[in-house]
Amino acid sequence: MTTSQQPIVSARNLTKDFTLGGSLFEKTTMRALNAVSFDLFPGEALAIVGESGSGKSTGARILSQVHDATSGEVTYRGKPLHDWIRQGGKRGFASQVQMIFQDPFGSLNPVHRIFYQIARPLQIHGKLKDRQALTQRVHELLETVGLSPAAETAQKFPYELSGGQRQRVAIARALAVEPDVILADEPISMLDVSIRLGILNLMMDLKDQHGIAFMYITHDIATARYFAERTAVMYVGHMVEWGNSDAVTQTPQHPYTQLLLAAVPQPGAQKSRDMTQYQHKADIPMWQPDSKGCPFAERCPHAREICKEQLPGVTQIAEDHFVRCYLYEPDGTT
Amino acid sequence: MTDYSATSPSDTTPPSRPPRWRRMRNLAAFFQGNLSATIGGGIMALVIVACLAGPWFTAHAPDERVARPHVEPSAEHFLGTTRQGRDVFSQLLYGGRASLAVAFLAGAISTVISILVGISAGYFGGRVDQWLNFVMNVVLVFPQLPLLIVLAAFLGQVGPIVIALLIGITSWPWGARVVRSQTMALRNKEFILAAECMGESRLRIVLVGILPNLISIVAGSFVGVVMYALINEAGLEFLGLGDPTVVTWGTMLYWAQSSAALYTGGWWEMIVPAVAIAVVGGAMALINISIDQISNPKLKTGPHIRRWRKLNQIIQAKRLRGAS
């Protein structure tokens, strides 16, 4: 893989706690991310796979400065995020990292024309001064994401576009500032199945042609393998398995990854796989700072005593394939 | 805003009309498909024009004795005269100026305060929200009309501008609450998050990102306050708390009451300002109902549905005719 390259974004032991309501004197704290570390390389996609509430969006929102990390560090081009903010302000950092949101109907301001939505980032970051160049650039961006005729689209309001078209506008808006990293938070999960591939292919082109690094957040492990070079599987705020996408999806090691893959419907198979061992065993736990053990222990068919006591360490399965499970620890039998 | 010189060759559509023209057309289209807006807007336009152009319609001054007391409506005095022998029609026109000015001024004051307070509370949240919410609740629990009466009585017989100020600064919390809750809902929308990620300034997010989305609510509460102010102003003046030397629809009612117009057969002196207030209030309500459709594009389907229904009716009628 691209181990020779320097990672553009690197997260180390990222932890994020959210304080929930609770009563006046007793506040409940939820740990949305627990000691998460990952690297993102230029021109590469890292897929973060997990179910709802697994903390995958929280990670992206820390990178995009919506949330602050409780502990841990994020570096961008080798420099801590906070240094970037101190030097260039949020606005300066925003020109490097952009986000694409899940809901294409909520991510565009309904009262402004498409032209405005794409021209704004260009104006904020002072990319183009005069009107003519601005118009031309907006139209170029719309053509890039496959929305032509661009001049006509630019004059439309968001409600006049379909979900897929709106997601293309959102991508064009993210592209406008010429970012190095795009955080795509479930960009296709709310689109019709028939247009998902189009959006994925568009992002693939951007990745290959513009060298943009993508953090692709999804719950669909099949598209993760299609789109991303590397995949990390998350469960309740923990990274349970990560590495090369092919390795993770072809030879899944962690029971949760196996569950995710077994859940992908296969054409032709007649309800062949036995999912019962995973189902109805327990609810998804809410992770708290004092929770212990493996988060998946409650649902895991292979769970042992130690799984409920202590978080398993990291085991390297292959050159670029890691798992956090006692099944694979050399002395995991203790 | 639009520059079509940079269109790509693949673009076959001719350049559109200038946007200002388009906006006018949108406005026309809005009235065309919307009966309540047309009626409400029409009445308001008529009333405002009539009041502003008052001197052209009547030769009489509103506060001068021009005839005998309680002359019945005639060609000389369309709406008769008051007990003091003043022309009711010219009082109606000139009084409308003051009444409407008070109503709109109060509406403007109230709307500005409610936008400022509501958006700040909703967008910034936290401690700012707590304090503003506290102030809102305090003003909200004041019983408004009694408070106005007490304030007006305390200040003596107050002129229209003071009444507008009083109504304006006591009637904003309802609007502010609605603006606040809507801002809170918008605040977590992804397009606001996207603007923040983009590095947009907070002021611009509030003014250009959030405020235009609130237009229907703001306009609705503005019209509501205007209506409320019109009625309350009349109420205060009817009770004799306003300055009776200024001609407004409220003082017209006051004079009609104090000169016992109804008992002495001069019903027109009482009915005319009362009907004027009711008609303008009704027109405001009609505008209020239809205002949502200006800023909420999703509601613009109205005429299409109507057209579709009409088509359905025609088809059904044809089918019936074919069957019989």
Side-chain angles (χ1 to χ4, degrees):
Chain A
M1 291 296 303
T2 33
T3 37
S4 56
Q5 265 182 303
Q6 284 293 311
I8 187 162
V9 174
S10 168
R12 289 287 166 267
N13 288 322
L14 214 53
T15 300
K16 174 69 188 170
D17 290 341
F18 285 111
T19 309
L20 304 176
S23 68
L24 191 60
F25 302 104
E26 208 184 316
K27 288 247 161 74
T28 321
T29 305
M30 187 193 89
R31 183 151 286 183
L33 281 183
N34 195 11
V36 167
S37 304
F38 58 83
D39 289 321
L40 192 56
F41 293 94
E44 239 189 57
L46 167 70
I48 310 268
V49 184
E51 56 196 63
S52 316
S54 61
K56 45 193 188 342
S57 297
T58 310
R61 286 179 184 199
I62 288 172
L63 292 189
S64 63
Q65 293 294 301
V66 177
H67 299 317
D68 272 330
T70 308
S71 69
E73 195 181 45
V74 183
T75 56
Y76 177 79
R77 293 192 185 280
K79 230 163 41 162
L81 214 55
H82 287 283
D83 288 0
W84 285 97
I85 305 297
R86 209 176 309 133
Q87 279 173 12
K90 277 199 178 184
R91 185 173 281 197
F93 189 69
S95 68
Q96 330 239 4
V97 178
Q98 275 294 306
M99 216 166 159
I100 301 170
F101 294 92
Q102 175 179 11
D103 180 6
F105 292 92
S107 63
L108 301 176
N109 197 331
V111 298
H112 296 303
R113 289 175 200 276
I114 303 304
F115 180 88
Y116 176 88
Q117 321 252 11
I118 297 173
R120 249 344 264 172
L122 293 168
Q123 287 170 329
I124 293 172
H125 298 285
K127 300 268 185 210
L128 294 159
K129 291 292 177 213
D130 72 305
R131 201 82 209 162
Q132 185 120 10
L134 187 70
T135 313
Q136 196 161 358
R137 181 81 184 113
V138 168
H139 291 175
E140 259 172 45
L141 283 163
L142 285 171
E143 298 276 357
T144 307
V145 297
L147 288 173
S148 51
E152 205 174 293
T153 312
Q155 287 309 307
K156 286 186 173 165
F157 283 102
Y159 71 89
E160 297 175 90
L161 301 180
S162 71
Q165 288 175 318
R166 300 178 66 152
Q167 199 59 290
R168 284 173 192 270
V169 172
I171 293 173
R173 177 176 63 183
L175 277 182
V177 298
E178 292 163 24
D180 297 323
V181 178
I182 290 184
L183 311 171
D185 190 352
E186 305 207 29
I188 58 166
S189 65
M190 284 184 73
L191 301 179
D192 283 347
V193 180
S194 53
I195 50 179
R196 286 184 177 177
L197 196 64
I199 300 286
L200 271 187
N201 287 340
L202 168 63
M203 295 203 302
M204 207 108 111
D205 287 346
L206 298 175
K207 186 180 69 175
D208 296 340
Q209 287 164 16
H210 298 249
I212 298 170
F214 274 82
M215 187 162 145
Y216 173 63
I217 295 163
T218 183
H219 54 243
D220 182 359
I221 199 162
T223 60
R225 187 186 165 208
Y226 177 77
F227 176 64
E229 283 82 2
R230 291 159 72 249
T231 296
V233 179
M234 289 195 68
Y235 186 74
V236 196
H238 297 75
M239 273 170 67
V240 293
E241 183 170 0
W242 60 98
N244 184 304
S245 288
D246 287 330
V248 171
T249 52
Q250 295 303 97
T251 55
Q253 302 296 319
H254 196 279
Y256 178 63
T257 317
Q258 290 166 358
L259 162 66
L260 277 182
L261 278 160
V264 176
Q266 295 278 318
Q270 287 184 354
K271 216 185 167 188
S272 57
R273 264 160 292 172
D274 183 20
M275 300 276 293
T276 46
Q277 57 176 339
Y278 295 106
Q279 284 165 354
H280 310 302
K281 281 202 83 174
D283 286 336
I284 300 161
M286 186 179 87
W287 205 253
Q288 292 182 314
D290 52 356
S291 303
K292 57 184 182 173
C294 170
F296 195 58
E298 297 284 303
R299 286 168 84 187
C300 183
H302 312 291
R304 283 171 286 172
E305 266 314 298
I306 188 158
C307 295
K308 291 179 176 138
E309 296 300 320
Q310 213 181 343
L311 188 67
V314 180
T315 312
Q316 185 164 19
I317 302 288
E319 194 206 330
D320 189 22
H321 192 179
F322 302 86
V323 69
R324 206 182 250 280
C325 182
Y326 280 117
L327 288 177
Y328 308 101
E329 281 204 355
D331 52 347
T333 45
T334 47
Chain B
M1 182 186 161
T2 325
D3 182 5
Y4 283 94
S5 57
T7 49
S8 61
S10 68
D11 187 7
T12 50
T13 51
S16 307
R17 297 166 191 85
R20 181 166 297 173
W21 201 92
R22 185 184 295 189
R23 232 169 279 161
M24 289 299 289
R25 195 183 55 188
N26 283 349
L27 199 68
F30 162 69
F31 279 113
Q32 196 178 22
N34 198 328
L35 193 65
S36 54
T38 314
I39 295 175
I43 293 174
M44 279 313 292
L46 207 69
V47 170
I48 290 171
V49 167
C51 290
L52 289 180
W56 292 342
F57 293 116
T58 171
H60 308 293
D63 48 359
E64 262 171 39
R65 190 179 195 99
V66 291
R68 288 182 300 107
H70 280 167
V71 173
E72 279 186 27
S74 63
E76 172 65 21
H77 302 288
F78 296 126
L79 298 170
T81 61
T82 70
R83 180 71 189 270
Q84 283 81 24
R86 292 166 185 162
D87 186 62
V88 175
F89 183 62
S90 59
Q91 282 203 327
L92 179 74
L93 296 183
Y94 284 95
R97 287 180 174 183
S99 280
L100 290 177
V102 166
F104 280 103
L105 182 61
I109 293 169
S110 164
T111 303
V112 168
I113 299 176
S114 66
I115 289 174
L116 286 177
V117 173
I119 283 198
S120 310
Y123 183 72
F124 294 109
R127 191 143 293 187
V128 179
D129 184 31
Q130 275 176 9
W131 277 106
L132 290 176
N133 214 4
F134 174 74
V135 176
M136 251 185 267
N137 285 333
V138 167
V139 181
L140 205 58
V141 293
F142 285 145
Q144 288 194 345
L145 195 57
L147 176 76
L148 284 177
I149 291 171
V150 170
L151 283 175
F154 176 74
L155 293 170
Q157 290 184 327
V158 291
I161 290 176
V162 179
I163 289 179
L165 280 172
L166 284 178
I167 294 172
I169 57 175
T170 52
S171 62
W172 57 268
W174 281 114
R177 290 216 86 139
V178 180
V179 169
R180 169 179 170 267
S181 62
Q182 198 62 26
T183 307
M184 283 166 81
L186 286 171
R187 205 216 167 305
N188 294 319
K189 280 272 170 77
E190 285 175 337
F191 62 81
I192 299 298
L193 215 60
E196 282 171 353
C197 285
M198 216 185 276
E200 192 82 275
S201 71
R202 289 187 143 191
L203 189 68
R204 198 173 165 110
I205 289 178
V206 166
L207 292 182
V208 186
I210 294 179
L211 191 56
N213 280 295
L214 298 174
I215 277 190
S216 64
I217 291 174
V218 167
S221 80
F222 172 77
V223 174
V225 172
V226 168
M227 206 161 74
Y228 168 86
L230 183 80
I231 291 162
N232 268 342
E233 184 226 6
L236 283 179
E237 287 172 343
F238 175 70
L239 294 174
L241 295 163
D243 181 354
T245 61
V246 181
V247 177
T248 70
W249 291 345
T251 54
M252 283 171 78
L253 283 172
Y254 168 74
W255 284 114
Q257 170 71 12
S258 58
S259 60
L262 284 179
Y263 291 115
T264 53
W267 51 266
W268 50 86
E269 193 182 349
M270 187 63 110
I271 295 294
V272 165
V275 167
I277 291 167
V279 165
V280 171
M284 284 300 198
L286 283 176
I287 292 173
N288 214 350
I289 288 167
S290 52
I291 239 166
D292 252 355
Q293 295 164 344
I294 301 176
S295 62
N296 193 345
K298 284 181 194 159
L299 296 175
K300 277 187 185 161
T301 49
H304 304 294
I305 290 176
R306 209 171 301 144
R307 219 168 289 154
W308 185 77
R309 274 202 195 127
K310 209 174 268 176
L311 200 70
N312 245 10
Q313 275 172 1
I314 294 170
I315 291 168
Q316 290 241 315
K318 266 189 185 163
R319 209 175 283 159
L320 279 175
R321 221 176 299 145
S324 59

